[in-house]
Amino acid sequence: MTKIQMLAAVAAAALATACAGTQSAREETSAATQQNAASTTTSSTAQSTQPATFTDEQLRAYAAARDEMAPLQATFGAQTPERQQQIATEIAAIQQRHGIEPSMYNQIARRANEDRTFAARLAGVQLDTFSDDSLRAFARASIEIQPLTAGLSTATLEQQAQITEQIRQIARRNNLDSATYNAIAQRAQTDQTFAARVQDLYRQAQAPATNENNGE
């Protein structure tokens, strides 16, 4: 495994660990979101019983919304009822911004959990074309993020939320949204050629710091 693949694994694990054990919270959040949607439409139940056929554009919207929602869902179960309602509202806004209805989002999530072929298709249509600038930004961000993840697996929910927010801030400071950061990390773990490309850019990102430490 290359250095960048190790960093990518850490990057993916950082958010995965923060979301570990929160499947029930995710279901609660989805339910809360559905209740919010029910106030404006009465067709969600009918839609959920229809055959699930989705375009690649809809699956990309789902993936982008899912990755942006993950940090909010991570601590949902530990929040007060008032904060849970706020989170449900924020999640509804994220889905709206990405152009995906709550009912469709939940259908895709269920289908991906139940159908491996569909899950593979979902993984395949996620945005996977990145500029060198995006990959350099990912490399720089990964260097900063790596130290934050050391104690993540043993952190409390509150500490996990703080670390996850720090990760998001680092990504944002490097002009990366969470969806792009996660997509790069996930692809680098499974695509050797892509990982090698990021590895080269990772070395370039390290070079200034190395030169500075050497007094050059």
Side-chain angles (χ1 to χ4, degrees), residues 68-125:
E68 191 172 342
M69 288 159 53
L72 294 174
Q73 293 171 329
T75 60
F76 182 87
Q79 302 298 330
T80 64
E82 292 77 11
R83 177 53 184 154
Q84 288 179 348
Q85 185 57 50
Q86 290 175 350
I87 290 174
T89 301
E90 291 173 30
I91 285 175
I94 289 170
Q95 292 174 334
Q96 182 177 13
R97 185 164 63 252
H98 289 286
I100 184 167
E101 293 292 330
S103 59
M104 179 178 293
Y105 182 93
N106 292 333
Q107 287 179 48
I108 294 173
R110 285 194 297 269
R111 179 83 178 273
N113 286 331
E114 297 168 356
D115 185 336
R116 291 185 179 180
T117 301
F118 180 78
R121 179 191 167 205
L122 175 60
V125 300

Side-chain angles (χ1 to χ4, degrees), residues 11-81:
L15 292 180
T17 302
C19 295
T22 60
Q23 181 63 36
S24 61
R26 186 175 296 110
E27 292 172 354
E28 291 177 44
T29 306
S30 296
T33 303
Q34 286 180 308
Q35 290 174 357
N36 183 65
S39 64
T40 57
T41 177
T42 60
S43 61
S44 294
T45 302
Q47 290 176 355
S48 66
T49 62
Q50 296 176 355
T53 55
F54 307 103
T55 65
D56 286 355
E57 182 178 359
Q58 289 168 334
L59 297 187
R60 290 190 184 96
Y62 166 85
R66 177 201 60 201
D67 291 341
E68 191 172 342
M69 288 159 53
L72 294 174
Q73 293 171 329
T75 60
F76 182 87
Q79 302 298 330
T80 64

Side-chain angles (χ1 to χ4, degrees), residues 180-198:
T180 301
Y181 183 86
N182 291 340
I184 293 173
Q186 291 165 5
R187 185 174 176 191
Q189 290 182 83
T190 58
D191 186 331
Q192 292 282 351
T193 301
F194 181 77
R197 177 185 170 199
V198 182

Side-chain angles (χ1 to χ4, degrees), residues 152-195:
L152 188 57
S153 61
T154 58
T156 65
L157 285 176
E158 182 178 357
Q159 291 169 333
Q160 288 177 3
Q162 292 173 348
I163 291 172
T164 301
E165 180 57 30
Q166 286 180 281
I167 290 172
R168 293 180 65 195
Q169 290 176 1
I170 290 171
R172 192 179 303 118
R173 188 166 65 248
N174 284 281
N175 299 316
L176 287 172
D177 58 49
S178 58
T180 301
Y181 183 86
N182 291 340
I184 293 173
Q186 291 165 5
R187 185 174 176 191
Q189 290 182 83
T190 58
D191 186 331
Q192 292 282 351
T193 301
F194 181 77

